[in-house]
Amino acid sequence: MSKITVNIPQHQYEIVTGKNILKSLPAYLNSGFKTNRLFFIIDSKMYKRNTSKVDQVLTSTGNRSVKMLLTATEKNKTYESLIKIHRRMIKSGCGRDCIVVAIGGGITGDVTGFAAATYMRGVRYVQVPTTLLAMVDSSVGGKTGINLDTTKNIIGAFHQPQRVFCDLEFLHTLDKTELICGMGEVAKYAFLTNEKFYDYVYHNFDKILKLNNSILNRVVSESVNFKRNVVEKDEKESGLRKILNLGHTFAHAIESVLNHKIKHGQAVVAGIAMALYLSGELGILNGDKAFKYFRLLEKFKPYINFPELNTNKMYNVMKHDKKNRQNEIRFVLFNDFGNLLLDVKAGKAQVMLAVKKGLEFFA
Ligand SMILES: NC(=O)c1ccc[n+]([C@@H]2O[C@H](COP(=O)([O-])OP(=O)(O)OC[C@H]3O[C@@H](n4cnc5c(N)ncnc54)[C@H](O)[C@@H]3O)[C@@H](O)[C@H]2O)c1
């Protein structure tokens, strides 16, 4: 088991990672809070595959607990879901002292976190991420939100959890595609952290997919620790935190144009490839190591198949990315492991070429 403490101004919380640590959740909820309502929002697909494990938590927390299931799709990451959650919270008698608990992937965590952030001007919540992506990324750092029309995560709030429980056992019921998606965010951390971690992820790629416990523990902990460090320095993304968006400007546009026919983590991998190509176009990337940078991305090729993609539409979506300033697209670009450039502008021709090369890489 590993414990990482996040120190945000006026709020400190722990991220606990390990096998079967869900067992410690009831004791934490029972001892840590004075409240008469624990409101659980639970990913329905995950729940089907882990019913007794999750029910044990609900039973152990007694009749204070209310369970609400959520079907985790991007189409459900909406105001409609938010309203349903809030209505149910009101009906269940949730007061300002209630604790909301998200058990699920990134969609469940983001919607639940936003529901908690906006209910009675903000109530406390706990994250129990059950996908690799949610463990290494979305459950850490307090970004919560929903989509509106075709724009992802455009409505949201920064709201930090009370604690995060990453129980690696959940990964055993996850579909392989979802593991690959989580590996997309892990790959991002491999580029952001340092060459040593990149090599570790590269050499252990297959063992991670086979859910080797100690390797998973290290990969999740290192990724979380990297994100912790960034979030502590820049909670509200006014500067440094933008590096976590490596590949994401491209990725969000891909997801939007393809109407979520490919998953976030897969889009992130393609987005990283495009960001590397764009870094090359602009002379930012360290050319001596270019061969090495794509090695990890090569590992994803068997798992990523793009349907036909309208790249002009993709460019237009990027133009409306919420990270833009003065109507210009701003990219996070890559010089070397652990060395990123923020807010880089690029011409349309260069961007379109990077998109084309990225798509060809996975063709
Ligand atoms: N808040 C942030 O900082 C942040 C960061 C990265 C991504 N995100 C968001 O996270 C979302 C993606 O998260 P995700 O990849 O976890 O997707 P997800 O929540 O859709 O989960 C993926 C799928 O796995 C299922 N599932 C979850 N846990 C399971 C388990 N243990 N066993 C079996 N099935 C399980 C879900 O039902 C779903 O079908 C996106 O909406 C993205 O925008 C947020």
Side-chain angles (χ1 to χ4, degrees):
M1 188 180 89
S2 72
K3 247 185 208 178
I4 290 170
T5 306
V6 185
N7 275 299
I8 303 279
Q10 279 124 40
H11 185 64
Q12 191 189 64
Y13 64 96
E14 277 174 353
I15 299 163
V16 195
T17 303
K19 229 179 142 162
N20 277 323
I21 53 149
L22 190 75
K23 284 192 176 139
S24 58
L25 178 63
Y28 169 73
L29 292 172
N30 288 334
S31 65
F33 305 101
K34 278 197 186 114
T35 175
N36 62 357
R37 271 293 165 261
L38 298 168
F39 193 88
F40 289 82
I41 302 177
I42 299 171
D43 179 322
S44 56
K45 186 169 165 188
M46 179 284 304
Y47 182 63
K48 256 192 199 150
R49 298 181 188 182
N50 296 274
T51 312
S52 62
K53 195 174 152 152
V54 175
D55 278 350
Q56 229 167 348
V57 174
L58 296 167
T59 316
S60 315
T61 45
N63 57 9
R64 296 186 300 162
S65 297
V66 177
K67 174 179 87 183
M68 178 168 181
L69 296 179
L70 180 78
T71 307
T73 59
E74 290 292 341
K75 293 206 162 70
N76 272 350
K77 200 175 166 182
T78 54
Y79 273 119
E80 286 74 21
S81 295
L82 195 71
I83 290 168
K84 277 188 201 156
I85 292 170
H86 284 158
R87 283 212 174 104
R88 186 77 191 278
M89 286 176 76
I90 295 168
K91 214 171 156 189
S92 315
C94 285
R96 188 161 279 153
D97 62 351
C98 75
I99 307 294
V100 184
V101 184
I103 310 184
I107 291 181
T108 308
D110 279 10
V111 176
T112 302
F114 191 48
T118 44
Y119 188 74
M120 291 190 167
R121 299 189 181 87
V123 296
R124 294 167 296 178
Y125 78 114
V126 172
Q127 287 271 23
V128 184
T130 62
T131 63
L132 181 59
L133 186 144
M135 289 180 194
V136 296
D137 204 10
S138 63
S139 65
V140 182
K143 268 193 185 178
T144 71
I146 54 171
N147 308 326
L148 183 60
D149 302 330
T150 56
T151 316
K152 273 199 51 126
N153 302 329
I154 189 75
I155 312 296
F158 287 96
H159 190 50
Q160 301 291 341
Q162 297 298 303
R163 188 173 282 200
V164 182
F165 291 79
C166 300
D167 185 342
L168 300 174
E169 272 297 294
F170 277 119
L171 302 180
H172 288 266
T173 60
L174 201 58
D175 293 343
K176 179 106 180 247
T177 322
E178 300 302 340
L179 261 183
I180 295 293
C181 287
M183 285 304 290
E185 296 287 357
V186 169
K188 177 187 83 179
Y189 288 110
F191 282 98
L192 296 182
T193 307
N194 53 42
E195 195 161 350
K196 194 172 159 210
F197 186 50
Y198 180 93
D199 286 342
Y200 186 80
V201 173
Y202 173 74
H203 290 299
N204 289 296
F205 193 88
D206 297 326
K207 287 186 187 152
I208 301 170
L209 293 187
K210 286 191 179 128
L211 302 178
N212 175 300
N213 195 59
S214 63
I215 296 173
L216 261 180
N217 211 330
R218 173 156 171 205
V219 163
V220 172
S221 302
E222 283 221 24
S223 303
V224 164
N225 199 38
F226 184 88
K227 185 158 183 182
R228 171 203 62 79
N229 190 26
V230 170
V231 168
E232 280 181 357
K233 291 187 177 123
D234 177 22
E235 183 190 359
K236 303 271 167 77
E237 198 169 301
S238 47
L240 180 68
R241 188 167 177 166
K242 291 179 192 168
I243 63 170
L244 300 174
N245 295 322
L246 175 66
H248 280 59
T249 301
F250 292 107
H252 285 159
I254 293 170
E255 287 175 86
S256 168
V257 172
L258 291 180
N259 206 8
H260 307 296
K261 278 192 205 101
I262 85 162
K263 298 255 172 189
H264 178 71
Q266 293 168 314
V268 166
V269 177
I272 294 174
M274 290 168 189
L276 291 183
Y277 281 121
L278 185 57
S279 306
E281 294 294 322
L282 299 176
I284 292 169
L285 184 134
N286 176 349
D288 297 345
K289 285 194 183 166
F291 77 96
K292 191 168 187 183
Y293 301 138
F294 283 91
R295 258 187 0 175
L296 180 55
L297 302 182
E298 292 272 353
K299 297 259 187 199
F300 288 88
K301 280 188 173 175
Y303 308 107
I304 296 179
N305 289 311
F306 276 104
E308 193 79 27
L309 178 66
N310 182 330
T311 51
N312 279 316
K313 261 193 188 167
M314 191 180 148
Y315 187 80
N316 285 334
V317 173
M318 283 193 275
K319 276 186 79 174
H320 293 102
D321 191 285
K322 63 184 181 296
K323 293 181 285 298
N324 293 346
R325 296 290 175 273
Q326 284 100 41
N327 229 359
E328 286 169 328
I329 313 175
R330 304 290 176 107
F331 293 93
V332 179
L333 295 185
F334 179 84
N335 168 260
D336 202 351
F337 300 113
N339 190 5
L340 283 296
L341 271 76
L342 301 177
D343 288 329
V344 184
K345 292 183 253 174
K348 182 174 178 184
Q350 290 160 315
V351 174
M352 295 299 273
L353 190 57
V355 168
K356 184 169 171 272
K357 285 183 176 174
L359 291 174
E360 280 167 4
F361 182 81
F362 289 103

